[in-house]
Every structure is written in structure tokens, then in C-alpha cells.
Amino acid sequence: MSSLSTSKTAPLQAMVIPVTPLRQNCSLLYCSETMQGAVVDPGGDIPAILDAIAKKQISIEKILITHGHFDHCGGAAALSRILDCPIIGPNKADQFWIDQIPENARQYGFEGEVFSPDQWLEDKDEITIGHQCLIVRHCPGHTPGHVVFYNADSHLAVVGDVLFRNSIGRSDFTGGDHNALIKSIIEKLWPMGRDTAFIPGHGRPSTFGTERDHNPFIADTGLVP
Ligand SMILES: [Zn+2]
């Protein structure tokens, strides 16, 4: 478990808990004024997530999902029952991934459960966390229904498997689209600003500016279409 070093005084705080054998970054986002929060992408390892929530004394009000892959949302149904809170996201185009969660999780030796989101998300939807607001951006390419969450006040984004430190999301799965992925990154992520820090679905955080300068798959100086 780790906090983002860039955001100690930010109004929206973030904490990352790697879960499942794939070390997927489940995030706790919470309003530092009200201590109301959301869990993003609870792929599994529910006890570790509950432990982090209890230690920080966060009041979790919603579960947010970036996309339908089992390592991101295989634990959403269980956590929703335990915390009695709604599941919000991803975009409806990921329904077919959600339907395959149990069989895909089993291949990696853990349990994942199908769920029905209480709300599907669309581009430019807004979600509140305490006094803070998350803007939703639909970013297809890794999966067709992938969404990312952006908080302007804290210069923070949670981007799932769209962009990583020094890499980008895979687009070779069913429904993946490399050109759409590149377009999502350039048109939806870069406008959030070079100083914006992002939590990727796997690995360490970075900033959009760092990736624009150094990411071999998408840097401004690279061979991007
Ligand atoms: Zn994924």
C-alpha cells in the first residue's frame, strides 16, 4: 500500500493497494475534508482493501470501475455487498468482459464474480467524492468500454490500463483497437495537463508530462500516427 508522493496536501487523496496475482492497482480515493471516499477497481483481495479503508477511517460511498477485465473488477460484487454501496462504471460496451469474469479469473487461480453496475458511465459524466468531483472520460482502445477518472483540483487521474509508466495498454484482446487507444491518450488524457499525476492499472504512478517526453509508445517525439 502506498500514497502518491505528489499529493500530500491535495484535496482528493489517493492510496494504491496492489491486488490479485496480476498486482492490479486498486485505488482508494477520498476527500481530505470529509473523509468520504470511493474504491476504484477492486479486482480481488478484499481483506486487504477493507484493511486499508479501516486504517484510514474512510467512509466508502461508491465503487468505481475503469473497465471490465477480471483483475480490475472481479471483487466488485463482493465488496459492494460488504460495504453496501453502488458499483458505478465502466461504459456499457464492456458488458461482454464482465460476463467472462469468472472463467478468466479462474485461469489465474482466483475467484471473480459477475456484477451488474448500478450505473453505466458515459464520456463527461461527473462523480462526486465528498467535496470533490471526478470527471469521466471514455477512453476506448484497450477495451471498448474503458473509462478514466480525473480530478482537476488535485491534478490526479486514475487511468486503468490505458496508459502506463513507459508503456501503453494492450490492444490485442477482443474489442481492442490500437488506433483508438492512441487517439484516447492524445485527445482525452493529454488535455488534463502535463503536471497531472496518474495511477495506472499496474506499476508505478507517473505524470502525463513525463510520458509525453519519455514513453516510447506515445511520446510527442515518437512515431505516433
Ligand atoms: Zn485490462
Side-chain angles (χ1 to χ4, degrees):
M1 184 165 65
S2 62
S3 296
L4 276 185
S5 59
T6 50
S7 65
K8 285 194 172 63
T9 58
L12 187 76
Q13 292 285 312
M15 173 176 288
V16 175
I17 309 154
V19 297
T20 82
L22 294 168
R23 305 286 291 166
Q24 191 277 121
N25 287 332
C26 171
S27 310
L28 301 186
L29 302 180
Y30 58 98
C31 170
S32 58
E33 287 179 87
T34 68
M35 294 308 283
Q36 291 164 297
V39 179
V40 186
D41 286 356
D45 295 334
I46 302 298
I49 298 171
L50 293 173
D51 195 43
I53 293 167
K55 278 194 181 121
K56 278 282 173 187
Q57 297 187 293
I58 302 166
S59 174
I60 297 295
E61 302 194 319
K62 46 197 81 168
I63 294 167
L64 307 178
I65 306 295
T66 61
H67 66 294
H69 281 161
F70 65 96
D71 54 323
H72 290 254
C73 55
L79 192 64
S80 169
R81 283 194 297 273
I82 292 167
L83 298 176
D84 190 25
C85 61
I87 302 173
I88 301 173
N91 178 272
K92 196 169 185 356
D94 269 14
Q95 174 79 65
F96 75 103
W97 279 118
I98 294 170
D99 293 340
Q100 317 173 36
I101 286 172
E103 59 187 278
N104 291 338
R106 213 172 298 127
Q107 290 175 358
Y108 285 85
F110 71 102
E111 304 257 312
E113 207 180 323
V114 173
F115 63 96
S116 299
D118 296 276
Q119 181 189 345
W120 295 108
L121 290 172
E122 304 288 343
D123 196 45
K124 298 184 180 171
D125 278 349
E126 295 186 2
I127 296 164
T128 57
I129 298 178
H131 294 159
Q132 290 298 306
C133 175
L134 293 179
I135 297 167
V136 174
R137 297 314 308 266
H138 183 205
C139 291
H142 174 67
T143 67
H146 201 302
V147 296
V148 312
F149 303 104
Y150 171 57
N151 176 257
D153 284 359
S154 299
H155 306 286
L156 175 70
V158 180
V159 305
D161 289 350
V162 172
L163 179 70
F164 303 104
R165 174 186 284 261
N166 272 323
S167 189
I168 59 174
R170 287 176 62 172
S171 52
D172 57 329
F173 298 117
T174 308
D177 181 331
H178 178 76
N179 290 337
L181 182 69
I182 298 296
K183 190 172 149 78
S184 289
I185 293 169
I186 292 173
E187 295 183 2
K188 307 278 180 75
L189 299 189
W190 289 174
M192 294 174 189
R194 292 181 57 88
D195 292 341
T196 292
F198 69 91
I199 300 171
H202 305 264
R204 293 169 58 204
S206 180
T207 66
F208 293 137
T210 301
E211 301 313 305
R212 289 185 72 156
D213 290 341
H214 301 297
N215 189 316
F217 296 90
I218 192 77
D220 291 349
T221 51
L223 295 171
V224 172

